[in-house]
Amino acid sequence: MAQIKSELGRDAVILHTRRLKKGGVMGFFGKEVIEITAGVEATAQAMVPVPEVKMPPARPVLTDGDSKMTAVQLELGTMRKLLEQVLHKIPLQEEKKSPVFAMLEQNDIDGQIAAELVREAAKTKFPAGIHFTEDQAVLEVLRTYLQRIEGITVLPNATKTVAFIGPTGVGKTTTIAKLAANFAIKEGYKVALITADTYRISAVEQLKTYADIIGVPIEIVYTPDELKLAIQRHQDKQLILIDTAGRSPKNQYQLGELQDLLEINPYIEVHLVLSMTTKYKEALDIVHNFSGCSPQKFLFTKLDEARNIGTMLNLLYQFPVTLSYVATGQNVPDDIELADPGKLMNLILKE
Ligand SMILES: Nc1nc2c(ncn2[C@@H]2O[C@H](COP(=O)(O)OP(=O)(O)O)[C@@H](O)[C@H]2O)c(=O)[nH]1
Ligand SMILES: [Mg+2]
């Protein structure tokens, strides 16, 4: 519905849906797609004047990346990759001898993924007239996994609500302060903060201090109902940022609570915050454990402390999510930027 409404407006209704399989062998491995026919009722459209939305220049627009990633999609993404890996197990040994393979491994890109990138590059047909060496071709393929980038899209006449989830200490609260300052002070949007992190008094105080300095309102909520009301109270804002308690990925009860909190409103855009200092295998566990909260975007912090961005690449290779911002230090509000494929590629090539 969120995607339909973003394309057709608030009055859009679903007229018809049907499930079908595309591709695949004997009904297996086919991608199930859902075809949705939607429309806008003529009367509703005629009666409600649609306000003209003036888009500020050079602001990212809504794309497919905005559709919510479900836990199932997350799992399917991993399963597809696993299957491909099993099916191609033997030839992968050859790819491991490629000179570029060592460079990828030095960047902590998972061996299996590095081998697949090498194989993908060998199969890729680049546009006529472009001749890449093997190394360059692999890097070009790698770059395609860094293309899905989209920050927070704020529209002048709508309220964008974004929640940040992730383990304790990854930098959620600091990131929210940075984003709030940038959107409110630098870009002049009306911003409100909501914190659901009421487990520690210091956590509330931390965000409250930032809110006071930036000059934006802050609400403290203890239950899903309170969160709902707080969001309703701030419908005059263009951006609402929600801080959540750092959840232990091992604690399913806490994760369930977080899920309940986020399910109150399907329009909440969920960013999973991950630290670049986390090892790949740990990060995989975190992504799986938080998948119930359907994160649409990954936001990486502590790039300044990381040896390389291998973990980021491994995750983006595995999951069909969008990359939003990268945080590069402790300074509020400066140490954050929209992810940039060129800069990220340079980090891989620096050694
Ligand atoms: N080096 C570095 N430290 C960061 C970054 N982002 C946050 N931090 C620090 O990480 C610690 C935990 O941050 P906090 O926002 O409280 O994490 P939360 O528990 O996820 O809300 C604080 O000391 C922050 O200053 C970053 O990008 N780089
Ligand atoms: Mg916090």
Side-chain angles (χ1 to χ4, degrees):
M1 272 319 281
Q3 209 182 334
I4 288 166
K5 292 203 168 172
S6 84
E7 279 178 30
L8 297 176
R10 278 184 183 275
D11 299 314
V13 288
I14 291 179
L15 302 172
H16 181 69
T17 66
R18 116 184 133 107
R19 283 167 194 274
L20 53 150
K21 281 229 167 122
K22 263 195 176 169
V25 185
M26 296 188 307
F28 290 103
F29 311 129
K31 211 167 121 189
E32 186 172 75
V33 295
I34 299 179
E35 181 186 80
I36 297 177
T37 312
V40 184
E41 278 179 286
T43 47
Q45 207 179 30
M47 277 160 56
V48 186
V50 182
E52 198 186 328
V53 179
K54 285 214 176 63
M55 288 284 290
R59 195 171 292 291
V61 293
L62 292 172
T63 69
D64 284 349
D66 255 34
S67 58
K68 278 214 169 183
M69 177 179 62
T70 62
V72 178
Q73 270 175 297
L74 265 175
E75 287 300 329
L76 278 179
T78 324
M79 275 167 59
R80 184 174 57 82
K81 296 277 184 209
L82 277 174
L83 256 176
E84 283 171 4
Q85 286 164 13
V86 172
L87 290 172
H88 296 99
K89 197 109 209 159
I90 301 148
L92 280 181
Q93 297 311 319
E94 281 305 306
E95 277 87 12
K96 288 187 178 170
K97 290 186 197 135
S98 158
V100 72
F101 183 87
M103 194 263 270
L104 296 176
E105 272 209 319
Q106 244 176 37
N107 275 283
D108 287 336
I109 292 175
D110 181 71
Q112 195 74 32
I113 294 176
E116 281 174 38
L117 286 168
V118 173
R119 198 183 49 221
E120 236 178 287
K123 283 193 306 197
T124 303
K125 297 230 181 336
F126 293 102
I130 300 181
H131 297 287
F132 287 122
T133 62
E134 190 198 9
D135 290 16
Q136 285 168 334
V138 171
L139 292 171
E140 279 312 304
V141 170
L142 185 54
R143 189 194 294 274
T144 61
Y145 288 94
L146 292 172
Q147 300 290 341
R148 297 188 309 258
I149 292 178
E150 192 185 41
I152 296 172
T153 315
V154 182
L155 297 173
N157 300 326
T159 306
K160 182 86 174 195
T161 309
V162 188
F164 297 83
I165 61 170
T168 326
V170 289
K172 292 180 297 300
T173 306
T174 315
T175 299
I176 289 171
K178 290 172 184 173
L179 291 171
N182 279 293
F183 278 102
I185 301 169
K186 291 197 186 152
E187 306 209 25
Y189 285 115
K190 281 190 259 170
V191 178
L193 302 181
I194 298 175
T195 180
D197 184 4
T198 49
Y199 282 77
R200 293 173 300 129
I201 290 183
S202 59
V204 174
E205 284 305 315
Q206 187 190 0
L207 195 62
K208 207 169 168 317
T209 309
Y210 283 124
D212 291 345
I213 298 171
I214 301 164
V216 294
I218 178 165
E219 302 249 4
I220 298 148
V221 299
Y222 292 86
T223 63
D225 279 344
E226 283 178 18
L227 177 62
K228 212 182 216 166
L229 289 173
I231 292 174
Q232 274 166 16
R233 267 196 297 279
H234 290 286
Q235 286 304 301
D236 60 325
K237 308 295 185 300
Q238 287 145 329
L239 179 63
I240 300 175
L241 300 172
I242 305 171
D243 197 3
T244 61
R247 293 306 200 200
S248 158
K250 295 205 180 77
N251 188 329
Q252 286 304 326
Y253 172 72
Q254 285 188 346
L255 286 169
E257 258 189 344
L258 182 61
Q259 222 169 309
D260 293 344
L261 203 62
L262 296 174
E263 268 169 8
I264 57 141
N265 185 333
Y267 294 102
I268 299 180
E269 179 176 292
V270 180
H271 290 225
L272 176 59
V273 183
L274 295 155
S275 164
M276 268 326 309
T277 58
T278 310
K279 291 206 175 59
Y280 171 48
K281 296 280 183 263
E282 266 172 63
L284 263 187
D285 281 349
I286 294 169
V287 173
H288 283 296
N289 287 314
F290 279 94
S291 62
C293 299
S294 304
Q296 280 163 279
K297 298 183 180 174
F298 284 172
L299 189 155
F300 289 96
T301 59
K302 310 198 186 183
L303 253 70
D304 54 309
E305 284 185 11
R307 262 185 46 222
N308 55 51
I309 58 164
T311 298
M312 183 193 297
L313 288 165
N314 291 331
L315 293 178
L316 292 174
Y317 184 81
Q318 303 260 25
F319 301 106
V321 293
T322 307
L323 178 58
S324 65
Y325 299 92
V326 294
T328 53
Q330 293 182 292
N331 296 315
V332 177
D334 290 332
D335 292 341
I336 190 156
E337 54 191 271
L338 188 64
D340 178 293
K343 281 193 192 172
L344 293 172
M345 286 303 289
N346 286 341
L347 290 177
I348 301 166
L349 298 171
K350 73 176 192 291
E351 276 164 32

